[in-house]
Amino acid sequence: MAVQTPLRARRGSRSEENARGLISSADRRRTSVRFSLRSVQTLSLLLLAFGAAPLYWTFKGAVSPTQELLRDPLALWPAHTQWENLSRAWSELQVGQYLWNTVVLVTGSVVAHFVVATTGGYVLSVLRPKWAAPVRWMVLATLFIPGSISLVALYLTVLDLPGLGISLANTPWGVWLPHAASAFTVLIVMKFFDGIPRELFEAAKVDGAGPFTIFRRIVLPMSKPILAVVTLLTVMNSWKDFLWPLIVIPDTEKQPISAALPRLAETAEQSLLIAGMLLAVLPPVVLFLIFQRQIVRGGGGFTGLKG
């Protein structure tokens, strides 16, 4: 017991020291350090408030009467709250239908991203055939090509799919397949796979596991953090994508909410339009708040898996 007590005391002091952070109590008592900390905290709060301001003004405008928005647009809160604007936007502007179209397009894009990113990263990082190195450089080179340059070629390809002679225009496949070819997601998944210890693959091969078994039972279970990050990034990018769905899906009944709202702005009442914008913004925001811990964990695993 005489030996255990000092050890526990030292462990307790270390945990308390770690809980305090990087700045010790002695440094915190210094005027310059205290002033710097308060300045940084105040600036951080102001930046957070500034970042949340658009969401607040969207919420305020969604429950405000149109006349009040036009008369006093800078009011902090409407004098007469109209919560029915949300239900009216859902039904009159058909926001529910456009949100459903968005969910269909986003879900397909996530699945396509997942398949291409995981299989491409697995081939380039784990299997490593002879042609892996030049393919890596070609995939990296596509990041330097602006999307507007390849827009016409991509649209012509969708109109007449090479080898099949069919058109994917006005179908979800016209959005899913182009979204699947993302060099960024392939590269970050490949980089994460590079950090998985090679001894695991060698041991699996000794036990008779093939490439597909290694991919399914070792690589994918160990890559859940980065796959969660890739999935959320895909959801965010697909949800806000405006130009490509507008071009490839000319039928207004099949368009997502991002392409429908600018068209509705020409005729819709302003308060109902802002209510539709709020309904369009809420799903990705809620999704991010729910999975923010997985995002942080995935980013940390991506940078420090080998450590």
Side-chain angles (χ1 to χ4, degrees):
M1 295 299 294
V3 177
Q4 294 179 355
T5 302
L7 288 176
R8 291 179 180 177
R10 278 182 291 178
R11 290 175 181 175
S13 61
R14 288 178 182 177
S15 62
E16 292 175 359
E17 183 178 355
N18 293 332
R20 286 197 299 266
L22 297 176
I23 303 176
S24 63
S25 300
D27 290 333
R28 290 177 184 272
R29 287 192 291 267
R30 295 170 56 187
T31 305
S32 58
V33 174
R34 191 163 58 248
F35 176 77
S36 301
L37 284 176
R38 290 179 180 177
S39 301
V40 171
Q41 292 171 355
T42 303
L43 181 60
S44 300
L45 290 176
L46 290 176
L47 291 176
L48 289 175
F50 182 77
L55 186 61
Y56 171 77
W57 286 111
T58 303
F59 177 76
K60 192 269 295 187
V63 296
S64 301
T66 300
Q67 295 300 325
E68 187 172 342
L69 282 175
L70 298 175
R71 184 175 61 252
D72 191 9
L74 298 181
L76 293 179
W77 190 252
H80 304 283
T81 307
Q82 290 186 352
W83 296 99
E84 62 272 13
N85 288 346
L86 299 174
S87 59
R88 288 181 58 195
W90 185 274
S91 57
E92 295 181 17
L93 301 185
Q94 297 181 334
V95 171
Q97 177 183 347
Y98 295 126
L99 283 177
W100 172 249
N101 296 340
T102 306
V103 170
V104 172
L105 295 179
V106 169
T107 303
S109 298
V110 169
V111 174
H113 256 94
F114 182 86
V115 173
V116 174
T118 54
T119 55
Y122 179 68
V123 170
L124 297 177
S125 175
V126 180
L127 298 183
R128 293 183 180 178
K130 295 181 180 180
W131 42 265
V135 170
R136 280 193 183 198
W137 287 109
M138 287 188 290
V139 172
L140 181 62
T142 60
L143 293 177
F144 299 93
I145 302 176
S148 57
I149 294 179
S150 59
L151 191 63
V152 175
L154 184 60
Y155 181 65
L156 294 177
T157 303
V158 169
L159 285 181
D160 187 9
L161 202 62
L164 298 178
I166 60 176
S167 175
L168 300 180
N170 221 22
T171 65
W173 290 98
V175 177
W176 294 341
L177 295 183
H179 278 176
S182 174
F184 176 73
T185 54
V186 172
L187 289 175
I188 63 173
V189 171
M190 179 192 68
K191 190 64 178 177
F192 189 92
F193 289 173
D194 287 341
I196 299 178
R198 299 288 151 177
E199 292 80 4
L200 295 176
F201 305 144
E202 299 298 331
K205 291 179 182 178
V206 171
D207 292 339
F212 181 75
T213 302
I214 295 175
F215 175 71
R216 182 170 57 91
R217 295 195 174 184
I218 297 179
V219 175
L220 288 184
M222 295 186 65
S223 306
K224 290 180 180 179
I226 195 63
L227 294 181
V229 174
V230 169
T231 300
L232 190 60
L233 290 177
T234 305
V235 170
M236 297 297 181
N237 292 330
S238 301
W239 194 278
K240 67 180 182 181
D241 192 11
F242 164 73
L243 184 58
W244 181 247
L246 182 65
I247 294 175
V248 80
I249 304 180
D251 189 357
T252 57
E253 298 296 326
K254 299 179 180 180
Q255 290 179 345
I257 190 69
S258 59
L261 283 177
R263 176 174 48 82
L264 295 174
E266 300 176 359
T267 57
E269 188 178 346
Q270 186 173 3
S271 59
L272 297 186
L273 180 65
I274 299 178
M277 294 171 59
L278 178 65
L279 294 174
V281 167
L282 284 180
V285 171
V286 172
L287 190 66
F288 174 78
L289 293 177
I290 293 176
F291 294 102
Q292 60 179 334
R293 181 175 300 178
Q294 285 77 3
I295 298 173
V296 175
R297 187 181 304 169
F302 172 65
T303 56
L305 179 62
K306 289 185 178 181

